[in-house]
Amino acid sequence: MNLAGPISQLMISLIIPIAFFLYFRKKQQFAWKPLWIGVAVFVLFSQVLEKLLHIAMIDQSGTALKWTDHPAAFVLYGALAAGVFEELGRYVGFRFWLKGRHEYKDGLSFGLGHGGIEAILIGVIGAIYTLILMQLIRSGTFDETLGAALSAEQASTLKEQIMNTPFAFYVLGGLERGGALIFHITMSLLVLLGVRTNRFRYVLYAIAIHALLDVAPAMYQAGILKNIWAVEGVLALFAVASLFVWNKLKRKLVE
């Protein structure tokens, strides 16, 4: 159990959004209002509305739906939920909250806000939570502290997971936030193009692409896919592909 792992994840997850922010500012491709709207959209649509639906739909095990234990149904739901909520959230943000703010830099800033707050909530806050648990394990108060919240089996599984997670996994977790940020910026530009050209099909494209991205993680969560490196490989391919799409969208939005 090494504190360097979660500390590395925390630093990488924090440095990447800051680096994008500084780069966009330097290139004069940044605007504050779209950034904060991007943050608000992620929090409202992903962390509030989507989570409320999860409470109604997902079993307490977190690996099946309440009305069926078929893995395919869970994967389909899991893949579609994030795509529908986040991409429709982007549409609402650009269509109603950013009227007249449909330039290329607005799309970049919106995506930075959306992906940046996700990096902080998942990468940074997740790492801090892990560091706290590590300290509880080291002090011998882990079972006593979490005894009321978790069963003995759940606490044992969590402790084992924390103690046996290799350093590389934490680094990978931080780098994954960078790929996700690129993806979010690209999807923001795609939805922005749909709003600017009044073609809703671009929003549907974004929903489909986002859902496709989430198939592998949903399969891993459902226990269908066992190899975490395969999941990370899929996410990395989406990040690389997003860079090419980003470049094509830039040409359309700046012409």
Side-chain angles (χ1 to χ4, degrees):
M1 186 173 62
N2 193 335
L3 297 178
I7 290 175
S8 298
Q9 177 183 315
L10 187 156
M11 295 302 297
I12 295 170
S13 300
L14 192 58
I15 288 172
I16 289 175
I18 292 175
F20 272 83
F21 167 76
L22 294 176
Y23 179 79
F24 291 162
R25 285 289 299 271
K26 182 179 180 180
K27 294 294 184 178
Q28 297 183 337
Q29 296 178 333
F30 176 80
W32 281 108
K33 184 176 180 179
L35 179 135
W36 291 118
I37 294 296
V39 171
V41 163
F42 179 80
V43 172
L44 176 59
F45 283 83
S46 175
Q47 300 303 294
V48 178
L49 298 179
E50 184 183 346
K51 291 295 188 293
L52 288 174
L53 183 62
H54 288 343
I55 292 173
M57 296 290 289
I58 298 179
D59 184 76
Q60 289 185 350
S61 66
T63 59
L65 300 178
K66 289 183 177 180
W67 45 273
T68 176
D69 60 357
H70 199 293
F74 177 83
V75 171
L76 180 61
Y77 167 80
L80 283 174
V84 170
F85 277 96
E86 292 191 45
E87 303 313 326
L88 287 182
R90 289 188 229 270
Y91 175 77
V92 170
F94 283 122
R95 178 71 174 79
F96 300 104
W97 300 340
L98 286 171
K99 291 182 178 180
R101 302 293 298 269
H102 296 161
E103 296 182 21
Y104 173 65
K105 69 176 182 178
D106 298 317
L108 292 181
S109 303
F110 186 103
L112 178 59
H114 191 115
I117 191 62
E118 182 188 64
I120 292 172
L121 291 177
I122 296 178
V124 176
I125 303 302
I128 292 174
Y129 177 68
T130 300
L131 287 169
I132 293 173
L133 294 180
M134 283 183 170
Q135 184 57 38
L136 291 176
I137 293 173
R138 286 190 168 192
S139 65
T141 59
F142 181 88
D143 295 324
E144 177 185 348
T145 304
L146 298 181
L150 301 175
S151 67
E153 182 180 356
Q154 290 174 325
S156 176
T157 300
L158 179 59
K159 181 189 293 187
E160 183 179 351
Q161 179 182 353
I162 292 172
M163 295 180 67
N164 295 326
T165 299
F167 175 81
F169 271 52
Y170 289 108
V171 174
L172 188 63
L175 294 176
E176 181 185 303
R177 293 303 93 213
L181 180 55
I182 293 172
F183 179 80
H184 283 304
I185 291 173
T186 302
M187 291 302 99
S188 296
L189 293 174
L190 181 58
V191 172
L192 173 59
L193 180 62
V195 172
R196 205 164 91 170
T197 60
N198 199 29
R199 295 174 180 172
F200 191 75
R201 71 171 182 267
Y202 288 113
V203 181
L204 297 180
Y205 294 158
I207 292 174
I209 294 170
H210 200 142
L212 190 60
L213 169 74
D214 285 325
V215 167
M219 289 176 66
Y220 183 79
Q221 188 175 351
I224 300 173
L225 189 59
K226 305 291 186 180
N227 192 333
I228 185 62
W229 294 106
V231 177
E232 295 298 337
V234 170
L235 298 180
L237 287 175
F238 267 89
V240 173
S242 294
L243 288 173
F244 289 98
V245 177
W246 179 345
N247 187 53
K248 290 182 177 295
L249 290 169
K250 178 182 178 180
R251 295 175 186 173
K252 292 181 178 293
L253 289 167
V254 299
E255 63 184 14

